[in-house]
């Protein structure tokens, strides 16, 4: 009888814990409240990536951009309002918001109520996108809650710039509790997706010391000196496959962005680039670890924040 009473009490705690306790994040956070949550997110992400392979990179970036601005709290998803200067206005080429809306709708149906936060949806969708494009998996820690505010100013200040030099990149990551290894391995997420001409034009035409001249010449065909700033180029030769081509490119001075090539430019991160360019297992392992670490940047838990009914606006 005592064991049965304990089991009932434990089951009750599982149900109330998400709303009342300020606990550490856990991969099993929704085990008692919505066991269908993660399979539902995976299904929607896989369908979205199947329709458009580029979407996987976009969903990965959303989680990254969210966590780097006041923590992993879904502030990125809030639309502009009289009281909110949306972070969306600070993110060039940010995509994937409609997929997050679809996930939220499907998850709420699967759970029977809005129990899964938008911040957790971003974290799981990032993982599922990487897996869908051939990359590693990891246990996403869950239990984040959603912010009611956003900061475009913080987004413009805290998001790594494609024009940053290595010391600035190291400092920016250190500010969020991430070290040089995290910097290099998370930058490896650029093995997926594209960048706009405006983010690499200056490197293409004005840099000479750390760029392959044939690579620069090739880029100029899609990135003219005047105009064309929204034209796209792949961040590595296989932009829809999670592999080590990004790091191999850096070794041959073919990093698309100035900030990318800074990781292999005679500085303290060169050896990490060399390691990952020849050891995909190490890249996969360390990428998974760093994604978990990044996902733990200043989450709102317990009674902090809220679980939004609509990811685009506070309740």
């Amino acid at each position: 009888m005592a064991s049965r009473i304990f089991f009932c009490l434990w089951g009750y705690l599982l149900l109330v814990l998400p709303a009342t306790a300020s606990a550490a994040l856990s991969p099993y956070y929704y085990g008692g409240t919505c066991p269908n949550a993660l399979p539902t997110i995976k299904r929607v992400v896989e369908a979205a990536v199947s329709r458009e392979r580029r979407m996987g990179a976009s969903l990965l970036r959303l989680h990254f951009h969210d966590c780097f601005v006041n923590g992993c709290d879904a502030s990125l998803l809030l639309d502009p309002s009289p009281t909110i200067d949306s972070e969306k206005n600070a993110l060039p080429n940010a995509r994937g918001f409609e997929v997050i809306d679809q996930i939220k709708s499907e998850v709420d149906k699967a759970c029977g109520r809005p129990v899964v936060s938008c911040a957790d949806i971003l974290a799981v969708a990032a993982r599922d996108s990487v897996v869908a494009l051939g990359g590693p998996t990891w246990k996403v820690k869950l239990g984040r809650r959603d912010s009611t505010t956003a900061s475009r100013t913080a987004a413009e200040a805290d998001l790594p710039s494609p024009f940053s030099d290595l010391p600035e990149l190291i400092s920016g990551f250190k500010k969020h509790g991430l070290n040089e290894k995290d910097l290099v391995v998370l930058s490896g997420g650029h093995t997926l997706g594209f960048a706009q001409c405006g983010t690499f034009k200056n490197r293409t035409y004005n840099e000479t010391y750390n760029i392959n001249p044939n690579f620069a010449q090739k880029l100029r065909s899609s990135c003219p000196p005047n105009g064309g700033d929204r034209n796209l180029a792949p961040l590595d030769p296989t932009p829809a496959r999670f592999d080590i081509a990004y790091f191999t490119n850096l070794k041959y001075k073919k990093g698309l962005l100035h900030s990318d090539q800074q990781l292999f430019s005679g500085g303290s991160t060169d050896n990490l680039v060399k390691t990952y360019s020849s050891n995909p297992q190490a890249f996969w392992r360390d990428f998974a670890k760093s994604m978990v670490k990044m996902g733990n940047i200043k989450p709102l838990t317990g009674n902090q924040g809220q679980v939004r009914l609509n990811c685009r606006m506070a309740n």
Side-chain angles (χ1 to χ4, degrees), residues 170-194:
I170 292 172
S171 175
F173 272 66
K174 184 178 180 181
K175 176 180 178 180
H176 299 290
L178 302 172
N179 58 31
E180 289 187 22
K181 187 179 211 178
D182 298 314
L183 163 63
V184 175
V185 76
L186 290 174
S187 295
H190 281 180
T191 186
L192 301 176
F194 296 75

Side-chain angles (χ1 to χ4, degrees), residues 93-113:
N93 203 31
R95 308 169 69 251
F97 297 112
E98 293 79 10
V99 175
I100 298 299
D101 291 338
Q102 183 185 1
I103 294 173
K104 174 64 172 170
S105 175
E106 292 295 318
V107 168
D108 285 355
K109 289 178 185 176
C111 299
R113 60 193 177 98

Side-chain angles (χ1 to χ4, degrees), residues 4 24 27 41 43 52 61 63 104 108 124-125 137 166 216 235 294 311:
R4 287 167 58 190
I41 297 172
R43 173 175 56 80
E52 182 191 4
R61 305 265 197 279
H63 180 44
K104 174 64 172 170
D108 285 355
V124 177
T137 188
L166 183 59
L235 284 156
M294 185 188 75
C311 289

Side-chain angles (χ1 to χ4, degrees), residues 10-26:
W10 177 242
Y12 175 73
L13 287 172
L14 279 175
L15 290 174
V16 301
L17 183 61
T20 60
S22 180
L25 303 181
S26 166

Side-chain angles (χ1 to χ4, degrees), residues 78-87 148-152 312-315:
L78 290 169
D79 281 342
S81 76
T83 59
I84 293 175
D85 189 8
S86 177
E87 293 169 25
T148 57
T149 60
S151 174
R152 177 179 179 178
R312 292 176 177 266
M313 61 186 71
N315 297 346

Side-chain angles (χ1 to χ4, degrees), residues 10-278:
W10 177 242
Y12 175 73
L13 287 172
L14 279 175
L15 290 174
V16 301
L17 183 61
T20 60
S22 180
L25 303 181
S26 166
Y28 313 107
Y29 186 81
Y30 297 108
T33 54
C34 188
N36 292 324
L38 269 61
T40 301
I41 297 172
K42 181 181 179 181
R43 173 175 56 80
V44 179
V45 168
E46 288 179 343
V49 173
S50 178
R51 287 192 303 270
E52 182 191 4
R53 303 284 282 178
R54 183 183 167 203
M55 186 55 67
S58 298
L59 294 174
L60 175 60
R61 305 265 197 279
L62 286 182
H63 180 44
F64 184 96
H65 288 169
D66 180 46
C67 290
F68 261 62
V69 184
N70 296 325
C72 309
D73 61 1
S75 58
L76 167 70
L77 301 178
L78 290 169
D79 281 342
S81 76
T83 59
I84 293 175
D85 189 8
S86 177
E87 293 169 25
K88 293 179 180 180
N89 295 331
L91 300 176
N93 203 31
R95 308 169 69 251
F97 297 112
E98 293 79 10
V99 175
I100 298 299
D101 291 338
Q102 183 185 1
I103 294 173
K104 174 64 172 170
S105 175
E106 292 295 318
V107 168
D108 285 355
K109 289 178 185 176
C111 299
R113 60 193 177 98
V115 65
V116 180
S117 69
C118 301
D120 278 348
I121 287 173
L122 285 173
V124 177
R127 187 272 311 276
D128 291 347
S129 294
V130 169
V131 173
L133 294 173
T137 188
W138 59 92
K139 288 186 177 180
V140 179
K141 293 185 178 182
L142 303 166
R144 302 168 192 80
R145 286 167 65 85
D146 301 324
S147 70
T148 57
T149 60
S151 174
R152 177 179 179 178
T153 300
E156 291 173 341
D158 289 346
L159 287 174
S161 166
F163 313 109
S164 293
D165 291 329
L166 183 59
E168 186 179 359
L169 291 169
I170 292 172
S171 175
F173 272 66
K174 184 178 180 181
K175 176 180 178 180
H176 299 290
L178 302 172
N179 58 31
E180 289 187 22
K181 187 179 211 178
D182 298 314
L183 163 63
V184 175
V185 76
L186 290 174
S187 295
H190 281 180
T191 186
L192 301 176
F194 296 75
Q196 292 183 349
C197 167
T199 63
F200 59 85
K201 179 179 293 187
N202 183 67
R203 169 164 165 74
T204 302
Y205 287 95
N206 298 322
E207 292 185 19
T208 57
Y209 64 94
N210 207 20
I211 188 169
N212 181 295
N214 292 330
F215 177 64
Q217 185 62 40
K218 181 179 178 181
L219 288 175
R220 291 169 190 163
S221 64
S222 61
C223 188
N226 297 303
D229 283 0
R230 291 186 177 275
N231 294 350
L232 298 176
L235 284 156
D236 84 359
T238 54
R241 188 167 72 238
F242 196 94
D243 56 23
I244 58 172
Y246 168 81
F247 296 110
T248 302
N249 257 20
L250 298 185
K251 286 177 59 179
Y252 292 99
K253 300 184 178 182
K254 294 182 179 181
L256 182 64
L257 306 178
H258 176 84
S259 57
D260 288 332
Q261 194 59 57
Q262 284 292 294
L263 301 180
F264 192 80
S265 58
S268 58
T269 55
D270 280 15
N271 285 336
L272 284 166
V273 171
K274 290 179 182 177
T275 296
Y276 296 137
S277 70
S278 61

